[in-house]
């Protein structure tokens, strides 16, 4: 699929450009790092800053620490390339999970930019640089909003951008198409999902202290590898053929990856003047796939600068729309032989668990401070309090699945040092 | 001790001197651009475009960190201090969008660079303008 997009882009570029001359070849290296010590006070529920990283409870240096390196390769006035790799505690340690950017860019004239290769997502206010702690306010971006977004944080494809000055502001419009296959571990099981034909349109308008952003995205699910879900779907399909549990076929279809698509849209606004830094974003996903159900997430953050210090606080929420059918246990089960009815009861319980584990329903509040120590180093401290509602721990790693219906309250404290070099 | 005091004095005078005086944006005499608007200077110095309005390559030059002139330039241009500018460039660099302006150690180095490069653009105190550069924008104190 990557080859398809690169070929497409290459053909377009060949038609619109003259042969590439490396008459201004220059390579610049740079990097960034974050060292974070954090403590989560609920041993029953593991936390990770994003879906692709390993989850941990208690003290951890690994859950947010990372090291990134980048090469900017200038070929000439029209062509350049960027490669960026980030080492962090990915649950699947494959090269693919560490390569963040690897694209070639062509600027035929000042208002148009074409890129092809591995690109960063442009859905949110900080999605292009959410690994670079030095560049933003928090010790951790709002978890409810940015943890799931990480699964499609980069993709392989092409994009085209148009930008211009409009009414004394700067407008940037981008359209992209690509695919990505994030690989992660959920509940000790490896999981890989392919988001194919991932189309995204985004618009950003910047005027003095204000930034406005809107984006919309849609994707097909073209592959899903997960042994527990395969086992569950097989069980549901075999029961569906018997007619004992009429809902089995419906749930099997809901869990199967084929024929499902996800639509996503997001709005963001930021105000950044001498003292105040205020940001808010709202996202909404519509999905008919039970594994990634429809959801709404949002946050509001307010920061105030006093010399080298910025003090901040905020709230965030993520909530799945309850569009999954309610499970109805058939009365006929009591008339079946015990072994058969027990097997179906177990299947129903596993179906219920799978639905609840995919569901997010949480709220959080945070307070913190950022200290600008030097032009290369900032320190941050942040305290988060999360309220994870019953059956709403979809963004967390629940150690004991029998606790899926319990509400959890988690306190998380983070100290971080963020560098650029 | 007297020597140290004497050597600090010019630095102190220079640091005070950028307050309240003109800062000018200059290019090489060989550059075909004769004038830029404030918005066009912002476009180049904030990494929005890598060319002048006529489409030719633009390579902005910056002064080293913690220079008073650098701080004043960005305050007057975009009302942002050096801390905010550093965070801004970390965002642009590591999102893969643009590279920050090349950093120069002194005004003399900037003037030497401008003599050699038609695409270079820089900011200097109005009092440092020489025959080899062309003023394309004047940043008066806000």
């Amino acid at each position: 699929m990557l080859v398809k997009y690169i070929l497409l882009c290459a053909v377009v570029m060949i038609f619109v450009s003259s042969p590439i001359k490396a008459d201004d070849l220059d390579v610049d290296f740079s990097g960034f790092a974050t060292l974070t010590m954090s403590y989560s006070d609920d041993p029953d529920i593991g936390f990770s800053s994003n879906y692709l990283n390993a989850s941990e409870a208690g003290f951890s240096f690994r859950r947010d620490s990372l090291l990134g390196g980048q090469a900017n390769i200038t070929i000439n006035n029209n062509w350049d390339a960027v490669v960026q790799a980030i080492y962090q505690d990915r649950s699947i340690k494959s090269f693919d999970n560490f390569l963040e950017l690897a694209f070639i860019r062509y600027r035929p004239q000042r208002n148009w930019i074409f890129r092809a290769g591995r690109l960063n997502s442009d859905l949110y206010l900080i999605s292009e640089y959410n690994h670079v702690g030095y560049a933003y306010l928090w010790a951790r971006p709002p978890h409810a909003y940015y943890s799931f977004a990480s699964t499609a944080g980069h993709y392989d494809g092409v994009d085209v951008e148009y930008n211009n000055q409009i009414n004394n502001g700067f407008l940037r419009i981008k359209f992209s198409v690509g695919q990505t296959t994030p690989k992660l571990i959920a509940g000790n099981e490896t999981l890989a999902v392919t988001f194919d034909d991932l189309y995204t349109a985004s618009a950003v308008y910047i005027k003095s202290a204000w930034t406005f952003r809107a984006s919309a995205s849609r994707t097909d699910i073209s592959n899903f590898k997960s042994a527990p879900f395969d086992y569950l779907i097989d069980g549901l399909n075999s029961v569906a053929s018997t007619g004992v549990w009429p809902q089995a076929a419906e749930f099997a279809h809901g869990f199967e990856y084929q024929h499902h698509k996800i639509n996503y849209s997001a709005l963001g606004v930021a105000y950044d003047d001498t003292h105040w830094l205020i940001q808010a974003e709202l996202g909404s996903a519509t999905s008919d796939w039970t594994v990634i159900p429809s959801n709404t997430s949002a946050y509001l953050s307010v920061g105030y600068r006093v010399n080298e210090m910025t003090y901040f606080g905020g709230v965030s929420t993520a909530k799945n729309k309850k569009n999954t059918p309610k499970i109805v246990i058939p009365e006929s089960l009591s008339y079946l032989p015990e072994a058969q009815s027990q097997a179906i009861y177990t299947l129903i319980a596993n179906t219920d668990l799978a639905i609840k584990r995919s569901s997010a329903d949480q709220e959080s509040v945070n307070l913190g401070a950022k200290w600008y120590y030097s032009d290369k180093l900032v320190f941050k401290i942040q305290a988060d309090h999360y309220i994870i509602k019953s059956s709403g721990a979809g963004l967390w790693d629940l150690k004991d699945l029998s606790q899926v219906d319990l509400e959890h309250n988690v306190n998380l404290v983070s100290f971080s040092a963020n560098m650029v070099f | 001790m007297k020597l140290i005091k004497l050597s600090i004095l010019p630095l102190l005078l220079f640091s005070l001197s950028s307050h309240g005086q003109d800062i000018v944006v200059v290019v090489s005499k060989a550059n075909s651009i004769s004038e830029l608007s404030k918005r066009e200077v912002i476009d180049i110095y904030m990494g929005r475009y890598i060319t002048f309005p006529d489409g030719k390559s633009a390579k902005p030059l910056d002064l080293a960190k913690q220079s008073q002139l650098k701080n004043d330039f960005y305050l007057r241009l975009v009302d942002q201090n050096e801390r905010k500018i550093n965070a801004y460039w970390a965002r642009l660099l590591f999102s893969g969008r643009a590279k920050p302006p090349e950093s120069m150690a002194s005004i003399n180095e900037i003037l030497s660079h401008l003599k050699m490069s038609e695409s270079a653009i820089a900011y200097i105190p109005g009092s440092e303008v020489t025959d080899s550069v062309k003023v394309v924008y004047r940043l008066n104190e806000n």
Side-chain angles (χ1 to χ4, degrees):
Chain A
M1 191 56 71
L2 172 61
V3 173
K4 184 178 85 175
Y5 291 119
I6 290 176
L7 281 175
L8 176 70
C9 195
V11 169
V12 171
M13 288 176 176
I14 285 166
F15 276 104
V16 299
S17 74
S18 53
I20 303 173
K21 289 179 184 172
D23 51 7
D24 203 9
L25 190 64
D26 180 42
V27 182
D28 293 297
F29 296 97
S30 51
F32 51 92
T34 292
L35 180 64
T36 301
M37 193 285 288
S38 57
Y39 174 71
S40 164
D41 71 347
D42 188 337
D44 298 326
I45 191 160
F47 178 85
S48 69
S49 52
N50 70 57
Y51 260 22
L52 301 180
N53 286 9
S55 296
E56 287 182 296
F59 281 103
S60 174
F61 276 97
R62 297 190 305 182
R63 60 165 74 95
D64 295 297
S65 297
L66 57 83
L67 176 66
Q70 178 170 311
N72 285 66
I73 304 143
T74 304
I75 301 165
N76 59 31
N77 285 341
N78 301 108
W79 291 86
D80 72 329
V82 176
V83 179
Q84 184 186 92
I86 301 175
Y87 186 78
Q88 54 186 321
D89 192 25
R90 296 296 202 201
S91 50
I92 304 284
K93 291 178 172 50
S94 68
F95 174 73
D96 196 47
N97 260 358
F98 295 116
L99 183 66
E100 197 65 23
L101 295 175
F103 65 79
I104 187 159
R105 173 167 43 204
Y106 174 59
R107 293 180 168 99
Q109 50 111 322
R110 72 195 313 246
N111 300 105
W112 289 93
I113 300 171
F114 296 86
R115 301 190 304 171
R118 173 152 294 186
L119 306 168
N120 39 5
S121 166
D122 192 22
L123 278 174
Y124 311 111
L125 277 169
I126 70 159
S127 53
E128 287 187 321
Y129 54 90
N130 65 335
H131 299 294
V132 189
Y134 180 92
Y136 54 77
L137 181 60
W138 316 283
R140 66 179 66 260
H143 179 249
Y145 204 79
Y146 282 97
S147 71
F148 177 70
S150 58
T151 52
H154 58 243
Y155 58 91
D156 300 324
V158 297
D159 69 16
V160 55
E161 177 182 313
Y162 173 78
N163 51 57
N164 211 338
Q165 295 285 348
I166 306 282
N167 193 26
N168 286 326
F170 184 70
L171 176 69
R172 196 168 66 222
I173 298 169
K174 190 193 278 186
F175 181 76
S176 68
V177 57
Q179 69 100 30
T180 184
T181 305
K183 302 177 186 73
L184 53 134
I185 289 179
N188 297 322
E189 296 286 348
T190 304
L191 187 151
V193 54
T194 300
F195 300 109
D196 210 347
D197 291 332
L198 174 60
Y199 293 95
T200 303
S202 64
V204 179
Y205 184 66
I206 303 164
K207 186 169 184 179
S208 57
W210 291 92
T211 299
F212 302 93
R213 156 179 284 279
S215 59
S217 184
R218 56 90 57 208
T219 184
D220 293 325
I221 311 300
S222 70
N223 201 1
F224 178 51
K225 290 178 182 168
S226 166
F229 276 103
D230 288 347
Y231 185 72
L232 178 64
I233 292 164
D234 287 346
L236 287 165
N237 280 327
S238 61
V239 169
S241 62
T242 66
V244 174
W245 183 27
Q247 287 181 299
E250 184 182 2
F251 283 115
H253 179 75
F255 286 119
E256 286 166 351
Y257 69 84
Q258 295 93 341
H259 318 301
H260 291 299
K261 61 179 183 291
I262 300 173
N263 293 300
Y264 188 83
S265 51
L267 293 171
V269 61
Y271 178 79
D272 184 1
D273 73 2
T274 307
H275 293 295
W276 292 97
L277 174 52
I278 302 168
Q279 286 181 243
E281 290 188 89
L282 171 67
S284 175
T286 306
S287 163
D288 55 358
W289 191 33
T290 310
V291 177
I292 301 177
S294 300
N295 71 75
T296 302
S297 55
Y299 74 87
L300 168 68
S301 171
V302 178
Y304 188 76
R305 296 186 180 94
V306 182
N307 299 321
E308 284 79 21
M309 299 297 297
T310 307
Y311 303 95
F312 60 87
V315 292
S316 73
T317 180
K319 192 173 181 62
N320 279 107
K321 299 165 190 166
K322 303 290 183 190
N323 56 355
T324 306
K326 189 174 171 60
I327 291 176
V328 179
I329 299 173
E331 290 180 13
S332 59
L333 285 189
S334 54
Y335 303 110
L336 294 175
E338 189 177 347
Q340 204 175 341
S341 66
Q342 278 305 318
I344 295 174
Y345 276 124
T346 302
L347 181 67
I348 290 172
N350 287 340
T351 302
D352 184 49
L353 181 63
I355 292 167
K356 288 175 175 171
R357 283 299 292 127
S358 301
S359 177
D361 188 355
Q362 68 174 60
E363 292 163 2
S364 75
V365 56
N366 70 63
L367 282 173
K370 175 182 175 181
W371 175 30
Y372 181 94
Y373 179 77
S374 77
D375 63 321
K376 303 288 184 198
L377 175 64
V378 297
F379 294 100
K380 299 176 191 174
I381 179 171
Q382 182 171 330
D384 293 87
H385 177 71
Y386 297 94
I387 302 164
I388 304 159
K389 306 284 180 63
S390 166
S391 312
L395 301 178
W396 299 72
D397 183 18
L398 207 53
K399 305 289 184 196
D400 181 357
L401 294 177
S402 68
Q403 293 189 351
V404 72
D405 288 321
L406 296 182
E407 179 175 302
H408 287 79
N409 285 265
V410 182
N411 294 301
L412 186 67
V413 181
S414 312
F415 303 90
S416 72
N418 304 268
M419 291 144 270
V420 290
F421 48 89
Chain B
M1 182 59 81
K2 192 175 179 183
L3 184 65
I4 293 172
K5 281 181 181 171
L6 283 173
S7 63
I8 287 173
L9 192 60
L11 289 173
L12 194 61
L13 286 173
F14 178 75
S15 108
L16 292 172
S17 68
S18 65
H19 285 295
Q21 76 162 14
D22 274 4
I23 299 173
V24 292
V25 178
V26 292
V27 296
S28 158
K29 282 273 190 199
N31 194 313
S32 57
I33 294 289
S34 58
E35 192 179 19
L36 291 174
S37 67
K38 183 175 185 180
R39 197 192 73 198
E40 288 163 344
V41 176
I42 291 172
D43 286 344
I44 292 169
Y45 264 93
M46 301 306 279
R48 291 173 179 173
Y49 294 118
I50 60 168
T51 62
F52 289 105
D54 64 3
K56 290 183 180 163
S57 175
K59 296 191 172 150
L61 307 180
D62 227 341
L63 274 170
K65 61 182 180 180
Q66 294 174 349
S67 145
Q68 185 64 52
L69 180 64
K70 178 179 178 177
N71 199 57
D72 287 352
F73 172 71
Y74 283 106
L75 278 174
R76 291 187 199 179
L77 188 70
V78 287
D79 197 22
Q80 296 190 24
N81 60 27
E82 196 174 339
R83 291 189 290 273
K84 285 183 71 176
I85 291 295
N86 287 337
Y88 176 85
W89 273 108
R91 293 199 283 274
L92 255 63
L93 175 63
F94 295 117
S95 62
R97 286 200 162 273
K99 290 191 296 184
E102 190 177 351
S103 193
M104 299 278 134
S106 66
I107 301 292
N108 282 339
E109 192 178 351
I110 283 178
L111 291 171
S112 304
H113 202 92
L114 282 165
K115 274 184 194 169
M116 293 184 297
S117 172
E118 193 179 323
S119 57
I121 176 170
Y123 54 87
I124 59 173
S127 57
E128 301 277 349
V129 173
T130 67
D131 289 341
S132 63
V133 299
K134 182 164 47 175
V135 176
V136 291
Y137 184 71
R138 199 171 288 275
L139 270 162
N140 297 314
E141 194 169 22
N142 291 328

